[in-house]
Amino acid sequence: MSGWTNSDVPDQTGRTFVVTGANSGLGYQTAKVLVRAGADVVLACRNTAKADAVASELGPKATVAKLDLADLESVRSFAAGVTGADVLINNAGLMAVPFRRTTDGFEMQIGTNHLGHFALTALLLPKITERVVTVSSTMHQIGNIQLDDLNWEQRRYRRWRAYGDSKMANLMFGKELAARLAAAGSSKKSLIAHPGYASTELQGRSENFSDFFAKLGNKLPIAQPAADGALPQLYAATVPDVESGTFYGPTEMFGMRGAPGRSGYKKAADDAGFRAALWEESERLTGEKFDVGAAG
């Protein structure tokens, strides 16, 4: 693969990153590259046993903290323990899982992928000095968020549609956060990234026929290794002159693989009125309010 690679990550000595879901897949690859570049990395994970093994591999610059994004009390407890960081990478996620609910009663995918990260960012933003990177997916294209039924209480559950909704919510959140930071005169940035088609542990958890095709897809040439899938979020997190509000992803094979660059997206994400309504509903559901002007 030509273009921007791990070797192009600038020196990160003296910088601290919080990476959610850093015990496997894209999060693990991201944390590994950041540590090698000199950064201190907080592995924010639900499965601390797996995270401890990763920290042992990466060395003393990697530390582990418990974070279950499907439990707002866990989110608040984690955030209270963070004294400060330069960058927050909202990486963790679930994909097309069977219907179930979070501790707080949210549909699991919107609750984990979006609402958990929304609350986490609200709590950490005053402690973040530079930028927030939120990981979306090309599957945001199938998202069609129903604000009056965000948690699938009235509709028949469709796991892939719910996943697409959560990834569209990630994209809309990242863009709306960028707009609000700019309006507040903040120097902080909000970026969004997606991995294209990356072979990770995310696939194969739907518990239906789609698992077969997901696992088959991981073996085809269209799938890239997790290390390559992590490049767009590493680019968004480390390149100094990235433009806030930009969506980054692979630039080859219709955004499925290749070096990172600006990515196309469903233009519904530019609907500022809908983004604001989603923001307001997310604040209502999580009980967490943003102060985008805090600390800078």
Side-chain angles (χ1 to χ4, degrees):
M1 177 179 67
S2 61
W4 198 89
T5 68
N6 289 336
S7 62
D8 296 307
V9 172
D11 179 37
Q12 300 300 302
T13 301
R15 302 180 78 213
T16 299
F17 292 74
V18 175
V19 183
T20 69
N23 59 294
S24 65
L26 301 175
Y28 162 69
Q29 296 294 337
T30 297
K32 180 167 67 172
V33 172
L34 291 172
V35 166
R36 288 178 178 174
D40 293 295
V41 181
V42 179
L43 313 177
C45 303
R46 180 182 59 83
N47 188 331
T48 54
K50 290 182 70 174
D52 285 339
V54 170
S56 179
E57 172 195 340
L58 299 184
K61 284 188 168 292
T63 57
V64 175
K66 174 76 172 180
L67 172 65
D68 184 353
L69 290 161
D71 181 347
L72 290 178
E73 281 306 308
S74 175
V75 173
R76 293 178 184 118
S77 177
F78 169 82
V82 176
T83 57
D86 296 282
V87 181
L88 167 63
I89 303 180
N90 291 322
N91 162 84
L94 299 169
M95 184 172 74
V97 296
F99 181 77
R100 56 183 188 270
R101 294 201 176 277
T102 69
T103 300
D104 303 280
F106 308 140
E107 184 275 316
M108 185 59 73
Q109 295 189 84
I110 198 75
T112 301
N113 297 353
H114 170 59
L115 293 171
H117 280 127
F118 181 92
L120 177 66
T121 308
L123 291 161
L124 286 187
L125 191 60
K127 305 176 183 180
I128 299 297
T129 63
E130 187 182 304
R131 67 183 83 177
V132 176
V133 178
T134 301
V135 179
S136 181
S137 164
T138 56
M139 293 297 287
H140 80 274
Q141 295 278 1
I142 67 170
N144 186 19
I145 298 170
Q146 301 295 306
L147 279 178
D148 60 350
D149 191 25
L150 201 61
N151 285 303
W152 295 82
E153 295 168 328
Q154 303 166 29
R155 297 167 288 165
R156 181 175 66 86
Y157 182 66
R158 296 163 58 192
R159 66 194 72 192
W160 281 103
R161 167 68 182 279
Y163 178 67
D165 286 358
S166 73
K167 293 289 105 178
M168 174 57 95
N170 288 149
L171 177 56
M172 286 186 162
F173 166 60
K175 284 186 161 292
E176 184 64 14
L177 178 58
R180 293 185 181 222
L181 287 167
S186 174
S187 63
K188 299 176 189 179
K189 297 180 180 181
S190 170
L191 294 311
I192 316 97
H194 77 87
Y197 195 124
S199 179
T200 70
E201 295 181 10
L202 201 62
Q203 291 96 347
R205 296 174 182 248
S206 296
E207 299 181 19
N208 67 6
F209 69 91
S210 66
D211 285 349
F212 170 79
F213 295 102
K215 292 175 181 177
L216 177 63
N218 283 352
K219 299 178 182 179
L220 297 177
I222 191 174
Q224 58 183 352
D228 290 343
L231 288 174
Q233 62 200 61
L234 281 163
Y235 186 95
T238 65
V239 172
D241 59 353
V242 289
E243 182 181 350
S244 189
T246 304
F247 188 32
Y248 291 100
T251 53
E252 300 172 15
M253 291 186 68
F254 305 99
M256 291 294 100
R257 61 182 299 140
R262 287 175 177 262
S263 179
Y265 57 89
K266 190 174 181 178
K267 292 308 176 184
D270 287 332
D271 186 334
F274 193 92
R275 291 197 321 236
L278 175 62
W279 185 285
E280 182 178 337
E281 179 67 358
S282 300
E283 285 190 331
R284 185 187 72 81
L285 289 169
T286 63
E288 297 298 340
K289 301 284 187 179
F290 268 78
D291 182 359
V292 294

